[in-house]
Amino acid sequence: MKTKLFARVRAFAVAALLLPAALFVAPSSAPAQEENTPTVVDAVIAQVNNDVITLSMLRRELARAVETLKQQRGMTEQQAQEEVTKNQSRILAGLVNERLIMQKGDEIPRLKEDVEADVNREMLRVANGQGIRTIEALDQALRESGLDPAEIRQTLRAQFTRQAVFAREVDAKIYYGLSDKELKEFFEKNRDRFRKPESLELSEIFLSVAGKPEADVKAKAMELVTQLRGGADFGALAVANSERERNGERVAQQNKGKVGTFEIDDLKPEFVATLKEVKVGGVTDPIKLDEGYQIIRVDARTPGGDPTFTEERVRGAITQERVEKERETYLQNLRKEAYIKVAKDYAAEVMPLLKIETQKTASTETEAAPKKKP
C-alpha cells in the first residue's frame, strides 16, 4: 500500500520536476534527520512575502523527487540523483510558486473550507480503494507504513489549493468572459472539433488487490473474462464478484456493474485504445489499475454526428487553448507583486526561471547563505 499511496499523492511532483511551465512541487516541512547524518544548522534560502523556504525544505523536495523518479520512471538511484541535481533550481522555483499560490488561497473566501472537503474526500477514496473502512484506520495504516498522515494531507491540500486558485482566478474568467462573437467565430473556424463524438454505454467488474496477492486477483479476472466470453451473464457475475464500493457498500449489488454512458472524448486515451476494437456485448481483457483489475463490457455504442454548436463545449475548447498561457501570466503577476528574496548562491539560476531580474529585486543576499548544492 505504501508505494501506491506514496505515488498517488506525490504524482504532481514529477510534473514540477520535468515540465518547465508548471514549476510546482509538493509542500514541505522539516525532514527527520537520517541515521549517521550530521546535524546541519538550517538556513533560509528564499523569502516569499512573509513565508520562508529553508534549506531543509529544499533537501526534502530533492529527496522526494529522487524517490518519485525511481518509482514512476524506473530510474536507478544514480540516474534519479543526476536528474534531480540538474533540476534543483527548477524545484526551488517551484517552491516559490507554491508559496505564492498558497498565500493567494488564504485570501479567497471559503476556499480553505472547499479544499479541506476535497482533501477529506480524497483520503476517504484512497481508504476505500485499499479496503479500509475509516479515515482513522487509514491513518494508522499509513503510520505503520512509515508515512505521516499529516504530511500527506498537506501535500493534497497544496495540490487542491493550486487547482482551486487557478479555477477561480484564471479558468473561470476565461470561460465566462468570452463574447458571443468569439464563440461563433471559433466554432466556424474549428467545426471539425465539434462533431458529436461517439458515446459508449459501459459496465464493469472491479477486483481489488487490497490485502490479496496480485497474481491471484489477476488470475481471477482472467477466469471471469473467459466465462463472460463463453456466454456467462455479466450482471450476475458483477453482483457476485465486483468489489467497487461506495459508502462502504458494493455498488454492483444495485446496478449490476453498469457505470453509465460516456462520450469517447471524455475517456482516458488508454481506455479509448482498449475499447476501440471491443464490439457491443464484448468485454476487455483485465485492465490493471492502481487499486486492482477492471473488466469493462461495452453495452452500447452511439455513433458520432455532424458539427453542433454547443455553447458549453465551445467555451470549454477556447478555455483549454488559452489556460496554460493565462495561468503563467497570472503567476507572473503574483511574482511581480510579491516580495521575493533568494539567497545569492541560488539567485542567478532561480530568478530567470521566475522571470524576475536579479538586479531589480530588493535584495538577493541572504545572511549566511547555504552552499548551492545541499
Side-chain angles (χ1 to χ4, degrees):
M1 186 188 77
K2 177 180 176 180
T3 300
K4 292 174 182 175
L5 182 60
F6 185 90
R8 178 186 310 245
V9 298
R10 301 280 190 256
F12 64 96
V14 174
L17 180 64
L18 301 177
L19 299 180
L23 291 179
F24 275 100
V25 293
S28 306
S29 57
Q33 284 288 334
E34 296 179 4
E35 289 186 16
N36 303 319
T37 299
T39 301
V40 178
V41 176
D42 211 349
V44 173
I45 57 176
Q47 181 174 349
V48 185
N49 293 321
N50 292 327
D51 287 333
V52 296
I53 297 169
T54 64
L55 179 60
S56 62
M57 291 178 181
L58 178 59
R59 283 178 166 170
R60 190 179 188 89
E61 296 313 322
L62 299 179
R64 284 176 174 171
V66 167
E67 288 305 311
T68 301
L69 289 175
K70 287 162 60 180
Q71 291 173 18
Q72 297 192 2
R73 296 291 187 86
M75 289 187 178
T76 65
E77 178 77 22
Q78 181 177 348
Q79 290 171 331
Q81 289 283 2
E82 289 173 355
E83 185 69 17
V84 168
T85 298
K86 284 193 304 184
N87 286 279
Q88 176 181 286
S89 296
R90 191 172 302 284
I91 291 174
L92 178 52
L95 287 172
V96 172
N97 281 331
E98 177 207 282
R99 284 292 89 212
L100 290 170
I101 286 289
M102 296 297 286
Q103 291 166 6
K104 189 64 180 179
D106 289 340
E107 300 173 7
I108 299 175
R110 291 198 56 79
L111 186 139
K112 275 189 172 181
E113 292 87 343
D114 293 343
V115 165
E116 208 58 34
D118 287 338
V119 170
N120 291 334
R121 277 192 292 269
E122 178 63 11
M123 293 294 284
L124 185 60
R125 188 181 74 81
V126 172
N128 289 338
Q130 298 292 335
I132 298 172
R133 301 296 182 182
T134 66
I135 292 296
E136 291 74 15
L138 175 64
D139 287 353
Q140 181 61 32
L142 289 169
R143 293 188 192 97
E144 291 172 357
S145 298
L147 296 172
D148 182 358
E151 181 187 330
I152 288 176
R153 284 188 176 83
Q154 183 58 21
T155 299
L156 292 171
R157 198 170 288 121
Q159 183 181 17
F160 287 128
T161 298
R162 171 189 158 197
Q163 292 170 354
V165 168
F166 278 148
R168 299 185 192 194
E169 295 289 296
V170 181
D171 306 5
K173 291 179 180 179
I174 301 172
Y175 186 91
Y176 292 109
L178 298 167
S179 67
D180 290 342
K181 181 181 178 182
E182 286 178 292
L183 296 175
K184 290 174 182 176
E185 287 180 351
F186 187 88
F187 174 77
E188 291 301 329
K189 290 179 181 178
N190 301 275
R191 291 180 65 86
D192 285 347
R193 293 177 59 176
F194 299 101
R195 295 184 181 278
K196 183 174 175 58
E198 178 187 14
S199 61
L200 303 177
E201 186 178 334
L202 304 175
S203 295
E204 70 154 8
I205 295 175
F206 170 75
L207 303 179
S208 173
V209 295
K212 310 169 193 172
E214 184 174 323
D216 291 351
V217 178
K218 183 177 181 180
K220 181 177 179 181
M222 290 298 300
E223 180 185 339
L224 290 174
V225 168
T226 300
Q227 292 180 41
L228 291 166
R229 289 174 177 168
D233 181 82
F234 189 95
L237 286 184
V239 169
N241 297 279
S242 189
E243 297 173 317
R244 181 79 66 193
E245 292 187 354
R246 186 179 297 117
N247 299 325
E249 297 183 0
R250 292 193 178 188
V251 296
Q253 300 292 329
Q254 287 76 42
N255 64 18
K256 296 186 178 181
K258 291 186 178 296
V259 293
T261 300
F262 305 87
E263 290 187 349
I264 201 79
D265 293 349
D266 294 333
L267 297 173
K268 293 180 180 179
E270 56 267 32
F271 280 91
V272 174
T274 299
L275 294 167
K276 185 176 181 181
E277 303 301 327
V278 180
K279 297 180 179 179
V280 173
V283 297
T284 64
D285 289 333
I287 300 170
K288 179 70 174 71
L289 308 175
D290 285 344
E291 303 90 350
Y293 284 86
Q294 182 183 43
I295 302 164
I296 300 178
R297 170 188 155 106
V298 177
D299 299 328
R301 287 182 181 269
T302 302
D306 294 331
T308 303
F309 179 87
T310 304
E311 182 177 331
E312 184 180 80
R313 288 189 65 203
V314 178
R315 284 185 184 276
I318 297 175
T319 301
Q320 187 175 26
E321 278 198 358
R322 298 181 183 178
V323 72
E324 182 176 346
K325 181 180 178 181
E326 291 301 319
R327 286 183 176 188
E328 177 52 37
T329 298
Y330 177 76
L331 264 179
Q332 180 61 19
N333 288 335
L334 289 183
R335 293 192 291 263
K336 285 181 180 178
E337 295 169 0
Y339 175 80
I340 299 174
K341 176 177 164 183
V342 178
K344 63 180 180 180
D345 289 330
Y346 295 81
E349 294 183 9
V350 172
M351 288 303 195
L353 292 172
L354 297 172
K355 299 182 181 177
I356 298 174
E357 295 181 25
T358 302
Q359 63 269 29
K360 290 187 179 180
T361 59
S363 172
T364 57
E365 300 289 329
T366 297
E367 199 170 330
K371 295 299 181 184
K372 188 178 173 203
K373 292 184 181 180

